[in-house]
């Protein structure tokens, strides 16, 4: 564990880091703003994800849990920043957002979101960028962007279309003030597991620990397969699966020559 991963909260700013075994927990830490994502938080999150992704051997995480402090996940982008309406500064924040979501997509380890309270706008996008979502049953999810002069830009609509269908995506995007509870999203397939309010983090960490016990190379192949094939048609998805099958076989020192029909 790096020394910074045990530093006091005051020294870490808007992002707290904890490691237990092979599980790293990143906590959005601006509870006074319902963990609204400031430029500083986004910068730190992007740097931390880059650092974790680049680690090798025993220093590499087996899984990562993303959560929020103070009983809420995140209320989204911090529209209260002084320069929020300055287009050039918004473009800078936008670049940070894109860096964070790209880093989540490229992380070679499973990602588990632990959601309590609110996951709104960019907060919902962060949660849905994870491979698994564990939520307190009363947690509320929403996309308020159209009401504040914006549209979602971090993949929430795409994720909702894939996980729960067009109707759910339309409700959350187009109906003003629409908020869906975690238990409803679980029935619709957008949340993997619900627990009593207050238990999401402990459940997510336990789930992450069980996942992280697997072989790192196979976990890396598994998350890549999960993230890279969901948007493809069946033929293309089978081609992606075949590639990762051979990658896993090679990693296990089983290196037969691949057949001529790459779709098998």
């Amino acid at each position: 564990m790096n020394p910074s991963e045990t530093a006091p909260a005051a020294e870490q700013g808007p992002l707290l880091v904890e490691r237990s075994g092979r599980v790293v927990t990143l906590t959005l830490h601006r509870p006074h703003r319902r963990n609204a994502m400031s430029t500083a938080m986004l910068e730190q999150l992007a740097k931390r994800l880059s650092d974790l992704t680049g680690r090798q051997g025993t220093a590499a995480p087996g899984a990562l849990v993303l959560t929020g402090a103070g009983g809420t996940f995140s209320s989204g982008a911090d529209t209260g920043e002084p320069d929020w309406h300055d287009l050039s500064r918004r473009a800078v924040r936008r670049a940070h957002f894109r860096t964070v979501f790209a880093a989540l997509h490229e992380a070679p380890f499973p990602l588990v979101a632990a959601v309590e309270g609110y996951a709104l706008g960019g907060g919902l996008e962060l949660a849905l960028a994870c491979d698994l979502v564990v939520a307190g049953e009363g947690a509320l999810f929403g996309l308020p962007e159209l009401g504040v002069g914006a549209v979602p830009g971090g993949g929430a609509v795409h994720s909702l279309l894939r996980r729960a269908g067009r109707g759910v995506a339309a409700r959350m995007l187009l109906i003003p003030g629409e908020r869906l509870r975690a238990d409803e999203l679980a029935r619709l397939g957008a949340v993997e597991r619900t627990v009593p309010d207050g238990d999401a983090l402990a459940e997510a960490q336990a789930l992450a620990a069980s996942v992280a016990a697997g072989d790192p190379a196979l976990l890396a192949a598994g998350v890549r397969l999960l993230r890279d094939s969901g948007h493809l048609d069946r033929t293309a998805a089978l081609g992606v699966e075949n590639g990762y099958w051979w990658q896993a076989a090679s990693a296990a020192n089983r290196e037969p020559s691949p057949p001529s029909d790459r779709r098998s």
Side-chain angles (χ1 to χ4, degrees):
M1 184 185 308
N2 286 353
S4 61
E5 291 178 351
T6 60
E11 296 179 14
Q12 297 191 60
L15 186 68
L16 308 185
V17 185
E18 173 192 358
R19 181 161 184 164
S20 177
R22 299 194 64 220
V23 176
V24 173
T25 300
L26 299 183
T27 302
L28 308 179
H29 190 256
R30 299 185 74 217
H32 62 292
R33 294 287 294 164
R34 288 186 174 176
N35 300 320
M37 289 177 280
S38 64
T39 302
M41 176 185 281
L42 291 169
E43 289 176 336
Q44 196 169 92
L45 184 55
K47 289 178 181 177
R48 179 61 65 173
L49 289 169
S50 176
D51 169 62
L52 292 172
T53 295
R55 296 187 185 183
Q56 302 293 321
T58 58
L64 183 143
V65 173
L66 185 61
T67 192
T72 199
F73 187 73
S74 174
S75 57
D78 189 354
T79 59
E81 286 198 297
D83 57 357
W84 173 255
H85 295 290
D86 183 306
L87 184 58
S88 62
R89 294 303 303 163
R90 289 185 72 175
V92 170
R93 280 190 294 272
R94 172 69 176 153
H96 289 314
F97 263 107
R98 290 180 65 85
T99 298
V100 167
F101 288 115
L104 291 170
H105 183 74
E106 295 300 324
F109 37 77
L111 308 170
V112 184
V115 180
E116 301 278 4
Y118 291 97
L120 305 178
L124 172 60
E125 290 176 321
L126 275 182
L128 294 180
C130 294
D131 303 302
L132 298 164
V133 180
V134 177
E137 57 194 1
L140 294 174
F141 299 76
L143 289 175
E145 280 87 344
L146 297 188
V148 294
V151 295
V157 173
H158 179 258
S159 294
L160 286 169
L161 287 168
R162 289 174 56 192
R163 288 177 177 238
R166 188 181 187 281
V168 176
R171 284 175 61 188
M172 297 186 75
L173 176 65
L174 301 178
I175 300 176
E178 184 78 347
R179 303 285 185 268
L180 297 187
R181 281 171 51 106
D183 49 8
E184 181 175 3
L185 282 179
R187 290 194 299 271
L188 295 167
V191 168
E192 281 66 49
R193 189 173 295 182
T194 59
V195 295
D197 290 335
D199 291 348
L201 179 56
E203 179 70 15
Q205 289 175 326
L207 178 60
S210 68
V211 170
D215 178 87
L218 292 179
L219 282 174
V223 295
R224 287 266 50 88
L225 175 58
L226 183 67
R227 297 170 195 164
D228 292 348
S229 61
H231 65 290
L232 303 175
D233 61 35
R234 180 172 175 79
T235 299
L238 286 173
V240 171
E241 285 187 7
N242 191 55
Y244 284 116
W245 188 95
W246 284 105
Q247 177 179 313
S250 176
N253 292 319
R254 300 188 301 270
E255 300 182 359
S257 298
S260 57
D261 183 359
R262 298 293 291 179
R263 295 174 295 176
S264 62

